[in-house]
Amino acid sequence: MNQTKIHFQKIYMHVRSITTQLKELFFELPRYQQILVVALALVTTFGLTQLISKTKQQEEGETTSRLVVVKSIANLSNTDTAIPLLGTVTSVSEATIRAESSGELTHVYRKLGDYVSAGQIIAEFENSAERAQVQQAEGAYDAAKAARDIVHINNSTTVSSLADSKTNALNTLSNAYNTMDDAVRTKTDSAFSSPRDANVKFLPAVPDDALIHSLEGSRITIEKMLVARNIKNKTLTTDDDLAAEITIMQKEVSTIKSYLDDMATAYSKALPDSNYSAASLDAARASINGARSAISGTLNSLTGAKTSLTASVSAEAITGTNTKSGSTGAADAQVKQALGAYNGALSRLEKTIIRSPISGTLNSLQIQTGDFVTQFAEVAVVSNNGALEVLSYVTEEDAKRIQVGSDVLVDTKVKGVITRIAPALDPRTKKIEVRIGIKDNNTTLTNGQSVRIVITKNAITQTSTNNNIKIPISALKLTPNGAFVFTVNSSSTLDSIKVQEGALLGDEIQIISGLTGDEEIVTDARGLKAGMKVTVDTNK
């Protein structure tokens, strides 16, 4: 290329010599010929100047290399390791209370912001008629029971009935102990370490220290109670005061029922961690609910056994006076009818009473004394403000990069963890719902507050099949001979690597084969080709 330059310079000098000679002849020419000669000289000079300038530019282009950015496959495959989102703080347990009846409110017992326990009365409709019906049904029920008792008392098999009632009472006490033992030691002890001694510890992660301490103390008390009950049951006979023993055991069963209720509350607040997954917590909740049902059935059995035993004892004590013939079956049927009427009256009365279905804070109370409320109208919202979670939504693509247990940062300072990911898109938002549990017990978050959250994505791990390698689309060079990426060798020139592309993922593309994951490639392949001289940009 330097020889070409010298060649053009010689031509240029030769032209200048000729121009000097022509200049001497120039002034001898007529005026119009002088003008033509000047024009011809200017055109010739301009053309040569342009030719030399173009030659210089070509030489400079050949000596200047392309500036490129080089990054490792690992960095390119793990871009955007965090997802910034907006979320709403909600309560883990929240209930919207609606009126089951309609009418005028005569009493509103609670105020907005008050804490209410499960079952606590919030307000009442005018219900004098319903209360009168309950009282009337209760009287009819008592009369039916009295009539049935008279029939039983006058039955010729009074003595036999008493023996059967005592045997039934003993069996009921034994079965009650077995149910208590199963409900506590089988259904709940997996949640404790050393559940049968004084060092008992509750294992699931529950952000409620008072509840945990209560459960641990209850478990110690119940263990002592179960041991004593087992010893007592082994010594009981039909000669003992079984009715009194049933009364004691009813209190013991009620203690365990309260303990199981607290266990259910604890599991509703529990957060998944390395020891307890979300599936394990769901299974534990189901087991606790089964135990609660069994304990409730045991209470009913004890009540029935005590009633039967008391009636049999009374029948034996009464002499044969006032004996009347009658049908035991008919008397029992009358009692059932009266009981049904009584329960129906209670149900109608209960619909005039507004109760809280859960324990929590009244975050909304839309009624006051004297209001007329229609049936099914919303009257209050009760939430457990001490157990909060964050509700948010992610795209389908981002959902593939997160999982239950992924770390979350709420408002840049509150630590959280993903507790649940919806299996499908929400039809309203067209995104996937994500629930985030709060790890920090002491936070300033408020129920209903909008917050900013950052979810940590899962880093991609390279595998032998390279199915997880992703690169920017701009790093891929598509040619008729296939797809290529470029690397920079020690001589600062480009080497091409043929690859097989896979699925298109937004601005990225999956690489199925051709790369091991250890390479460093050029991030923008546009205008590049193998063998080209390049300079690596070290600032990016």
Side-chain angles (χ1 to χ4, degrees):
M1 195 58 68
N2 289 332
Q3 292 179 353
T4 303
K5 179 179 179 181
I6 294 172
H7 178 68
F8 279 113
Q9 287 178 344
K10 288 181 178 180
I11 293 175
Y12 179 72
M13 296 302 296
H14 183 63
V15 171
R16 287 189 63 183
S17 176
I18 295 174
T19 303
T20 302
Q21 295 177 4
L22 291 175
K23 182 178 180 181
E24 295 176 355
L25 299 175
F26 174 76
F27 294 103
E28 297 177 1
L29 295 175
R31 181 66 175 174
Y32 73 93
Q33 291 180 350
Q34 288 179 354
I35 295 173
L36 291 176
V37 170
V38 170
L40 179 61
L42 290 174
V43 170
T44 302
T45 303
F46 178 77
L48 290 173
T49 303
Q50 290 294 104
L51 182 60
I52 292 172
S53 175
K54 184 176 181 180
T55 302
K56 289 182 178 180
Q57 290 177 359
Q58 290 177 347
E59 290 178 352
E60 291 174 356
E62 291 183 356
T63 59
T64 302
S65 60
R66 170 82 172 267
L67 188 65
V68 296
V69 176
V70 174
K71 289 187 178 181
S72 67
I73 295 294
N75 287 337
L76 293 174
S77 296
N78 286 321
T79 56
D80 297 330
T81 57
I83 310 174
L85 298 169
L86 291 177
T88 303
V89 179
T90 63
S91 174
V92 173
S93 57
E94 182 174 274
T96 298
I97 305 173
R98 299 183 182 276
E100 294 186 73
S101 183
S102 61
E104 181 184 356
L105 289 172
T106 56
H107 298 89
V108 177
Y109 301 104
R110 313 303 298 177
K111 301 187 299 295
L112 183 67
D114 283 356
Y115 180 86
V116 291
S117 302
Q120 187 169 358
I121 298 175
I122 297 175
E124 281 189 56
F125 289 95
E126 200 290 316
N127 54 16
S128 57
E130 286 80 2
R131 290 186 180 278
Q133 290 174 0
V134 169
Q135 189 174 11
Q136 184 178 5
E138 186 177 10
Y141 177 51
D142 289 340
K145 287 194 297 181
R148 181 193 61 184
D149 291 342
I150 291 174
V151 172
H152 287 172
I153 291 170
N154 294 321
N155 196 289
S156 61
T157 58
T158 300
V159 176
S160 177
S161 297
L162 177 59
D164 291 342
S165 296
K166 289 184 175 182
T167 301
N168 179 62
L170 285 174
N171 292 334
T172 302
L173 288 169
S174 177
N175 292 336
Y177 168 77
N178 292 334
T179 302
M180 293 161 62
D181 180 88
D182 178 72
V184 175
R185 293 173 173 167
T186 302
K187 297 295 194 307
T188 69
D189 275 3
S190 60
F192 296 92
S193 64
S194 304
R196 301 193 185 187
D197 59 45
N199 295 322
V200 59
K201 294 294 181 184
F202 189 73
L203 300 177
V206 175
D208 191 334
D209 291 337
L211 179 58
I212 291 174
H213 292 326
S214 176
L215 284 171
E216 292 171 350
S218 296
R219 183 61 188 88
I220 294 172
T221 301
I222 289 173
E223 182 61 28
K224 296 177 181 178
M225 184 181 70
L226 288 175
V227 172
R229 171 50 54 190
N230 186 33
I231 296 173
K232 181 66 175 178
N233 277 6
K234 290 179 180 179
T235 62
L236 286 176
T237 67
T238 55
D239 295 329
D240 294 317
D241 187 354
L242 298 180
E245 203 62 37
I246 290 176
T247 301
I248 295 173
M249 200 165 193
Q250 284 177 319
K251 295 179 180 179
E252 295 173 353
V253 174
S254 296
T255 299
I256 291 179
K257 184 177 183 299
S258 297
Y259 164 75
L260 292 176
D261 291 342
D262 288 343
M263 285 290 293
T265 301
Y267 274 119
S268 70
K269 296 180 178 182
L271 301 176
D273 56 18
S274 58
N275 295 322
Y276 287 85
S277 64
S280 298
L281 292 174
D282 288 340
R285 293 186 191 103
S287 179
I288 290 298
N289 288 334
R292 294 167 72 190
S293 297
I295 287 296
S296 296
T298 298
L299 278 174
N300 293 334
S301 297
L302 289 170
T303 301
K306 183 179 179 181
T307 301
S308 177
L309 181 61
T310 302
S312 297
V313 171
S314 299
E316 187 183 47
I318 297 175
T319 62
T321 59
N322 298 323
T323 300
K324 296 181 181 179
S325 61
S327 171
T328 302
D332 289 340
Q334 290 176 354
V335 170
K336 288 182 180 179
Q337 289 177 346
L339 179 59
Y342 175 59
N343 288 335
L346 279 178
S347 177
R348 290 189 291 274
L349 174 62
E350 191 62 30
K351 289 183 179 180
T352 67
I353 300 173
I354 300 173
R355 299 180 185 270
S356 174
I358 63 172
S359 297
T361 303
L362 281 170
N363 288 339
S364 172
L365 187 63
Q366 304 175 20
I367 54 176
Q368 57 185 358
T369 301
D371 285 352
F372 185 89
V373 179
T374 59
Q375 190 175 21
F376 307 124
E378 180 179 324
V379 295
V381 176
V382 181
S383 303
N384 186 349
N385 293 335
L388 301 176
E389 64 180 2
V390 177
L391 171 64
S392 188
Y393 296 88
V394 299
T395 63
E396 186 176 3
E397 180 62 29
D398 284 337
K400 298 176 182 177
R401 298 288 300 277
I402 62 176
Q403 63 182 7
V404 173
S406 294
D407 291 330
V408 180
L409 198 61
V410 182
D411 273 355
T412 70
K413 57 184 178 181
V414 180
K415 294 181 179 180
V417 61
I418 294 179
T419 58
R420 185 170 55 186
I421 301 174
L425 294 174
D426 186 286
R428 296 176 293 104
T429 63
K430 302 302 180 184
K431 291 186 177 182
I432 294 176
E433 179 182 308
V434 176
R435 297 273 179 171
I436 299 164
I438 305 300
K439 287 185 176 180
D440 298 340
N441 292 331
N442 299 319
T443 69
T444 58
L445 297 179
T446 305
N447 191 5
Q449 175 183 356
S450 294
V451 292
R452 294 183 179 273
I453 61 176
V454 177
I455 301 177
T456 302
K457 288 184 180 179
N458 300 322
I460 295 178
T461 303
Q462 305 300 335
T463 65
S464 58
T465 59
N466 302 316
N467 290 333
N468 289 326
I469 293 179
K470 294 191 304 180
I471 63 173
I473 297 177
S474 60
L476 191 67
K477 180 78 171 183
L478 296 175
T479 71
N481 296 325
F484 297 87
V485 296
F486 294 105
T487 61
V488 180
N489 59 29
S490 58
S491 301
S492 296
T493 57
L494 296 178
D495 290 335
S496 63
I497 301 176
K498 189 172 184 178
V499 297
Q500 181 181 357
E501 67 272 27
L504 187 63
L505 306 172
D507 294 333
E508 299 176 319
I509 190 167
Q510 184 184 33
I511 300 301
I512 298 176
S513 63
L515 297 176
T516 65
D518 299 325
E519 298 89 350
E520 292 187 347
I521 65 171
V522 178
T523 60
D524 190 349
R526 291 172 292 186
L528 302 182
K529 61 182 179 179
M532 179 180 291
K533 190 78 172 179
V534 295
T535 299
V536 177
D537 188 350
T538 59
N539 295 324
K540 294 184 178 180

